[in-house]
Amino acid sequence: MSTAETDAQIINPEMPDVPPHAPSKINLKDYTKPSFDVETVHLDIKLFEDYAQVDSTLEMVRQTAGDIVLFGESLELLTITMNGKALSTEDYQQEAAGKLTIHNAPERATLDIQVRICPQTNTALEGLYMAGSGDDTMFVTQCEPEGFRKITFYPDRPDVLAIFTTRLEADKRYPTLLANGNLVEAGEVADAPDRHYAIWHDPTNKPSYLFACVVADLDVLTDSYTTSEGREVLLELYAKSADIDKCDVGMQALKDAMKWDEVNYGRAYDLDRYMIVAVSQFNMGAMENKGLNIFNTACVLSSPETTTDARSFSVKAIIAHEYFHNWTGNRITCRDWFQLCLKEGFTVYRDQSFSADQQSGAVQRIDDVATLRAHQFSEDAGPLAHPVRPESFVEINNFYTTTVYEKGAEIVRMIANTLGPDDFRKGTDEYFRRYDGQAVTVEDFLSALSITDDKIENFIDWYRQPGTPVVSGSQTYDSNAQTLTITLNQQTRHVKGFDAPKPLPIPVATALFDKDSGAIVAERMLLLDEATQTFVFENVASEPVVSLLRDFSAPVQLNYDYQDADLAFLLKHETNGFNRWQVTQMLVNRILLQGQGAKSSPDVYLEALAQTLPVLAADDAMLAARLLDIPSAQELASAISKDYDPALVKEQRDGLYKQVADKLKDQWAELYNNLPMQSYEDSAEARGVRALRNVVLDMALTANVDDAADWAQQQYDNASCMTERFGALKTMVNHQLTGADKYLADFYDRFQANDLVIDLWFSVQAAADDVTPDMVKSLLTHTDFDWNTPNRVRSVISAFSSQPTVLWTAEGLEMYTGVIQKLDDANPVLASRLLQVLARWNTLAEPRRQMAHEQLIDLQKNVSSKHVLESLESVLGAANS
């Protein structure tokens, strides 16, 4: 599953040790196999005007001693029989928490259960729910992680795998009836000419979280793909009729992903049909249900006129991610939800590798690491820090985090780099061979990958230990012996509630550069697996400049004894584009984090950038655009452990940005003119030109370059695609140009019928540099704002949270927590994720810190979902950390 974009258990002394409404915690150490397995499931889902009736037949077989345990939430139980005998309330126990226990079950049991549910009022967007309204109404499912229990009673856990057959019945105004697997039968319901049905059969064993069905009126784009094994696969991408012309990018990405997986992992698709459905109301990015993927419209629809390059490329990556889950998640799944990183980390690594093959590998790596540093490092630095494989949870939805996904992917990358491509492929082949059709653990994964190197099993500590390691180091050169000695040490902060951190295996990709020629004289992958180690390079004729952590070989913070001149040298001579970007980030952080011990003047950075950018712009426009990156306010804040002043950080960041703009003021006009707008082309080169043009435009406006305001208006008026038009609009809004309101109105009028573009219209205003809480409140009452559509909520609230100087005010935080409170009952998954943005409140300088604490305490008194309560417990625990 793709996220549309997070556990220290320390309790504030003002709170009771266990809040009276706190649900119980689930622990990894308490795992036991289910007493009964399910061999087959027959579902019959009949959808009516204001309810649905679900009949299920479960063929169950005993595995261990114990009762049959089923889970169900928001269900009206109508009947239940076992082996043809109706059960009375004396035969089973139904608990308020949604657990149904059947006593005295025989070795084999056939359960027939009938329940009534109400998808029409299901605003949590879990289980079976109604999305849209009027002619756009559709019914869809979201069952990961525990949504299936909102459809019927079932042993809803990932280690119960079964064969599913599903019958759907609905009014004919919903002609699209879809479920997992292959279509077996379809027709009109006897004695009900206005109703029809479809029967689907999935021949593969799967857990209930991979169940999916769709009842709707949709158009379909069809294509086909012949696998490497000769299977002809029907490809279908379903969307509203108005959106079907935006499905071509997704369809091509699907075919590209199928081919890529065959070439790189030897994995071919295994069913006769692969379906994707676009849904506007969806909490996540997408869901890999076997043979029937459900996608947030933002993650599957794309056209040049309505989709930015960044979003369009993301569509391709997410399509690939969900397809790759067919093997890493579906055919081999998780034993329990603590193993979530097993399927998500490996699959993120696979989709990142796929994306790197679709564009510059360096730029893809920059994107990956920028996300990791801005979000996961911040998570590791705060009260929500948790291991990649958590040890406990109250609500598993709270652990669909950047730690599980992105850090999980970095662990797989470290293993792949340690083994090398050939041995890594041998290890993954063994993993697929050994565990196909099973529910497994991280230990199983590492066991398979270690067939050529048993040290790989030592990477288990990366899964168990929270926190981001800091790697520090220095070097000494012996001119007589011609040796270079590098000393490295590692240290990880101790997160309360967990064991003291131990040294981890950290691969450190290293190259030595000759100072005179700029050439690489030595390369080596160092493995730092002790607290302190020394590494000696021999036959080094003169003292070199050392480049460490090349291509970001490990998810660590690097604190090496570099001089500014060394970093400037690497910016000029590094042969890897990612490494050039990395040294610019190191220089920028030295400048902006001087209060945290960093000491650096901006002069070296500015001069190195001025020398490098014009040459690079002509050779690699996308990389040139990324070299102008300055870390986000969130990333900078994660490096500040106390007395964080959002206004001061913004002032310093904006000041450095202005210095860059002024340093190159005389070059912006020439650079902009050398990047003319042309007819749209979807290539890495064309995307790079558009990205750099937008950056140059913003820099020129920042430097007050003559006519730059005219450039923005002309770019908007003459745009060939959304990247150009929205880039111009964003600069006009952020620089408060005369006429910006007119262009905002024009943007709205042009795209009023397109929900995803109107999301951009909301977000550019909510994230504007001059935004106020009143402006956001106005957006929340706009006629096009919809509380039931997560994309729309995020377009305003998540965009607003990118402006910490306004968020961390009494009025801003009151508005933000009010949104969380409003969503707590209706959509607790979304509410909890919005809350987690506030996790670093305890690092604020007074009086903001006290204000934030009081508002979070007030919020705790007014919410009830286990999702939000668990997050609040961790967030408020920061008061003691």
Side-chain angles (χ1 to χ4, degrees):
M1 183 162 63
S2 301
T3 55
E5 334 174 341
T6 60
D7 136 336
Q9 305 296 327
I10 309 302
I11 309 302
N12 186 282
E14 297 180 17
M15 300 156 49
D17 288 344
V18 180
H21 46 328
S24 60
K25 187 178 294 184
I26 300 169
N27 299 293
L28 171 61
K29 64 181 177 62
D30 296 333
Y31 171 83
T32 56
K33 293 176 63 175
S35 299
F36 280 77
D37 204 357
V38 180
E39 293 181 336
T40 63
V41 184
H42 285 77
L43 292 175
D44 188 353
I45 301 175
K46 300 182 181 72
L47 187 64
F48 298 99
E49 193 66 33
D50 55 358
Y51 72 95
Q53 179 177 300
V54 182
D55 293 273
S56 61
T57 299
L58 314 182
E59 298 289 346
M60 307 189 72
V61 60
R62 182 181 296 281
Q63 290 195 93
T64 64
D67 298 326
I68 293 177
V69 177
L70 309 176
F71 299 95
E73 294 180 14
S74 303
L75 307 175
E76 180 186 353
L77 178 60
L78 301 178
T79 63
I80 179 169
T81 69
M82 182 168 65
N83 293 342
K85 176 188 174 183
L87 299 184
S88 69
T89 54
E90 295 180 356
D91 298 315
Y92 65 87
Q93 179 181 357
Q94 189 173 358
E95 301 176 16
K99 185 177 178 181
L100 190 152
T101 304
I102 300 174
H103 308 296
N104 302 317
E107 295 299 299
R108 299 188 66 89
T110 299
L111 291 184
D112 291 289
I113 303 171
Q114 185 178 86
V115 301
R116 180 177 293 169
I117 59 176
C118 190
Q120 292 85 350
T121 59
N122 180 359
T123 61
L125 311 187
E126 296 179 293
L128 176 63
Y129 66 91
M130 184 178 77
S133 60
D135 292 340
D136 291 334
T137 297
M138 60 192 301
F139 294 85
V140 299
T141 54
Q142 171 56 28
C143 293
E144 184 178 351
E146 296 175 340
F148 191 77
R149 64 188 62 186
K150 294 186 176 183
I151 297 175
T152 189
F153 285 100
Y154 193 79
D156 187 18
R157 43 189 289 172
D159 57 349
V160 175
L161 281 64
I163 304 292
F164 278 69
T165 301
T166 304
R167 181 184 183 275
L168 301 174
E169 179 186 316
D171 192 283
K172 286 183 178 178
R173 71 176 183 269
Y174 302 115
T176 307
L177 304 177
L178 307 175
N180 310 84
N182 300 313
L183 181 62
V184 175
E185 182 182 331
E188 186 176 284
V189 176
D191 302 324
D194 59 340
R195 295 178 66 78
H196 67 140
Y197 72 93
I199 299 175
W200 295 80
H201 176 71
D202 185 353
T204 56
N205 272 304
K206 69 171 180 282
S208 54
Y209 82 84
L210 291 173
F211 171 79
C213 68
V214 175
V215 177
D217 181 4
L218 301 173
D219 280 4
V220 60
L221 174 67
T222 62
D223 207 329
S224 64
Y225 181 84
T226 303
T227 72
S228 58
E229 297 174 348
R231 181 188 295 272
E232 188 75 12
V233 182
L234 174 63
L235 309 179
E236 296 179 312
L237 208 165
Y238 290 84
K240 295 189 299 184
S241 59
D243 291 330
I244 206 69
D245 62 341
K246 305 176 186 69
C247 295
D248 292 318
V249 170
M251 182 63 80
Q252 185 59 51
L254 174 58
K255 292 189 289 186
D256 291 343
M258 296 175 84
K259 180 66 174 178
W260 188 92
D261 211 19
E262 290 173 346
V263 171
N264 291 275
Y265 285 87
R267 300 299 106 190
Y269 189 60
D270 53 344
L271 293 178
D272 297 333
R273 186 187 300 241
Y274 193 97
M275 298 172 283
I276 294 173
V277 178
V279 180
S280 60
Q281 292 177 331
F282 199 67
N283 274 332
M284 312 301 289
M287 179 61 211
E288 69 269 17
N289 315 297
K290 181 70 177 182
L292 178 57
N293 291 182
I294 309 293
F295 267 68
N296 187 318
T297 50
C299 299
V300 67
L301 302 180
S302 176
S303 73
E305 298 80 12
T306 61
T307 314
T308 64
D309 287 341
R311 171 53 66 186
S312 183
F313 196 79
S314 176
V315 164
K316 300 172 187 178
I318 295 172
I319 291 277
H321 179 97
E322 304 309 329
Y323 175 74
F324 296 153
H325 265 313
N326 186 57
W327 278 92
T328 51
N330 295 4
R331 288 186 63 150
I332 303 177
T333 194
C334 306
R335 186 197 71 177
D336 52 69
W337 286 120
F338 297 100
Q339 319 296 328
L340 179 61
C341 59
L342 175 62
K343 76 181 185 77
E344 295 300 345
F346 192 9
T347 305
V348 169
Y349 171 71
R350 277 152 51 76
D351 83 55
Q352 289 175 349
S353 303
F354 167 82
S355 295
D357 287 346
Q358 311 305 306
Q359 66 169 348
S360 159
V363 171
Q364 180 61 39
R365 194 68 185 124
I366 290 169
D367 290 343
D368 299 339
V369 174
T371 297
L372 188 81
R373 286 176 172 167
H375 302 287
Q376 197 281 318
F377 278 17
S378 178
E379 195 166 80
D380 255 351
L384 295 175
H386 59 274
V388 173
R389 182 174 67 181
E391 296 179 355
S392 64
F393 60 78
V394 171
E395 171 51 62
I396 184 56
N397 271 296
N398 286 336
F399 288 88
Y400 283 75
T401 64
T402 53
T403 296
V404 168
Y405 278 65
E406 276 71 25
K407 188 174 181 179
E410 293 299 321
I411 299 173
V412 178
R413 185 182 299 273
M414 285 189 292
I415 294 171
N417 289 338
T418 299
L419 287 174
D422 291 341
D423 284 348
F424 182 67
R425 175 62 186 270
K426 290 177 183 176
T428 58
D429 284 350
E430 176 65 11
Y431 176 64
F432 296 129
R433 185 200 65 78
R434 191 186 295 181
Y435 299 116
D436 187 15
Q438 299 181 44
V440 300
T441 66
V442 168
E443 285 83 356
D444 295 325
F445 177 62
L446 294 180
S447 173
L449 292 180
S450 66
I451 59 170
T452 59
D453 185 349
D454 58 11
K455 289 183 179 179
I456 294 303
E457 298 200 55
N458 295 335
F459 280 86
I460 187 63
D461 290 329
W462 274 99
Y463 290 95
R464 293 171 171 166
Q465 184 167 295
T468 302
V470 177
V471 174
S472 303
S474 60
Q475 65 190 60
T476 56
Y477 177 71
D478 186 331
S479 57
N480 293 325
Q482 294 193 336
T483 58
L484 179 77
T485 301
I486 296 175
T487 301
L488 299 176
N489 61 75
Q490 59 170 295
Q491 187 172 12
T492 304
R493 81 176 180 101
H494 184 196
V495 177
K496 290 185 178 180
F498 295 92
D499 292 339
K502 60 176 66 174
L504 299 172
I506 301 176
V508 183
T510 305
L512 310 184
F513 285 80
D514 181 77
K515 286 185 177 179
D516 295 327
S517 66
I520 295 177
V521 296
E523 288 185 85
R524 190 191 304 175
M525 179 71 78
L526 311 179
L527 184 62
L528 173 64
D529 55 6
E530 300 175 9
T532 301
Q533 283 174 261
T534 58
F535 304 91
V536 178
F537 289 79
E538 298 179 340
N539 301 315
V540 182
S542 60
E543 184 167 10
V545 176
V546 178
S547 179
L548 291 171
L549 210 65
R550 303 182 83 222
D551 218 32
F552 206 65
S553 56
V556 303
Q557 294 179 342
L558 181 62
N559 183 21
Y560 195 69
D561 187 21
Y562 280 121
Q563 300 299 310
D564 287 353
D566 296 332
L567 297 175
F569 173 92
L570 291 173
L571 177 57
K572 182 177 180 180
H573 294 287
E574 252 291 3
T575 57
N576 181 287
F578 170 83
N579 304 328
R580 300 177 82 175
W581 174 83
Q582 181 165 251
V583 297
T584 65
Q585 298 300 289
M586 294 173 70
L587 284 165
V588 167
N589 277 287
R590 285 179 168 219
I591 297 164
L592 294 178
L593 296 174
Q594 294 191 38
Q596 305 301 306
K599 296 179 181 179
S600 189
S601 164
D603 295 341
V604 173
Y605 164 68
L606 294 171
E607 190 58 39
L609 201 59
Q611 293 178 12
T612 303
L613 187 68
V615 177
L616 187 59
D619 182 53
D620 188 338
M622 183 66 84
L623 181 57
R626 299 311 303 265
L627 286 188
L628 291 166
D629 286 351
I630 292 180
S632 67
Q634 185 175 12
E635 182 179 342
L636 292 168
S638 70
I640 302 173
S641 58
K642 64 178 181 178
D643 295 331
Y644 165 49
D645 183 343
L648 178 60
V649 170
K650 177 176 172 56
E651 178 185 345
Q652 293 173 337
R653 186 184 183 279
D654 291 352
L656 181 59
Y657 192 86
K658 181 72 163 63
Q659 286 181 279
V660 172
D662 290 344
K663 178 70 176 181
L664 294 166
K665 182 175 182 178
D666 295 338
Q667 299 185 38
W668 296 130
E670 181 180 357
L671 280 170
Y672 191 80
N673 291 329
N674 287 338
L675 301 164
M677 289 191 294
Q678 299 174 341
S679 58
Y680 178 81
E681 179 184 340
D682 184 16
S683 66
E685 294 77 13
R687 292 193 299 269
V689 167
R690 291 190 288 268
L692 182 56
R693 185 192 304 114
N694 282 340
V695 173
V696 169
L697 175 60
D698 194 74
M699 284 287 182
L701 285 166
T702 302
N704 298 312
V705 172
D706 293 341
D707 300 327
D710 293 337
W711 304 351
Q713 295 177 5
Q714 292 165 9
Q715 178 171 314
Y716 182 95
D717 292 335
N718 301 316
S720 67
C721 62
M722 182 54 69
T723 298
E724 293 169 347
R725 195 181 309 279
F726 187 67
L729 179 67
K730 188 175 180 180
T731 58
M732 287 190 279
V733 170
N734 284 337
H735 290 276
Q736 303 169 44
L737 298 186
T738 302
D741 289 344
K742 181 187 76 171
Y743 281 97
L744 270 172
D746 177 81
F747 191 84
Y748 179 84
D749 291 340
R750 282 176 186 256
F751 301 107
Q752 187 173 1
N754 189 299
D755 289 340
L756 295 178
V757 181
I758 295 303
D759 286 341
L760 293 176
W761 181 82
F762 275 102
S763 69
V764 74
Q765 297 173 81
D769 285 344
D770 63 341
V771 71
T772 65
D774 284 342
M775 293 167 63
V776 175
K777 291 176 184 177
S778 177
L779 293 173
L780 294 177
T781 58
H782 192 277
T783 55
D784 286 326
F785 186 82
D786 181 8
W787 286 102
N788 293 320
T789 302
N791 286 347
R792 189 55 47 87
V793 175
R794 285 188 287 259
S795 74
V796 176
I797 299 303
S798 297
F800 170 69
S801 71
S802 69
Q803 292 291 352
T805 55
V806 190
L807 172 65
W808 294 114
T809 62
E811 188 180 5
L813 194 56
E814 181 180 9
M815 185 273 297
Y816 193 89
T817 56
V819 168
I820 295 170
Q821 183 177 336
K822 180 178 179 67
L823 292 169
D824 175 62
D825 181 58
N827 191 336
V829 172
L830 179 58
S832 181
R833 290 185 182 169
L834 293 175
L835 169 63
Q836 291 167 9
V837 171
L838 307 179
R840 299 279 290 163
W841 68 272
N842 65 308
T843 65
L844 290 165
E846 296 292 3
R848 291 182 197 252
R849 186 180 188 276
Q850 182 62 27
M851 175 273 298
H853 186 225
E854 291 172 356
Q855 291 211 28
L856 288 169
I857 291 293
D858 287 342
L859 176 64
Q860 187 183 43
K861 298 174 183 176
N862 292 286
V863 295
S864 59
S865 74
K866 63 179 181 178
H867 308 68
V868 174
L869 286 171
E870 180 181 31
S871 291
L872 267 171
E873 180 182 334
S874 294
V875 168
L876 283 168
N880 278 356
S881 60

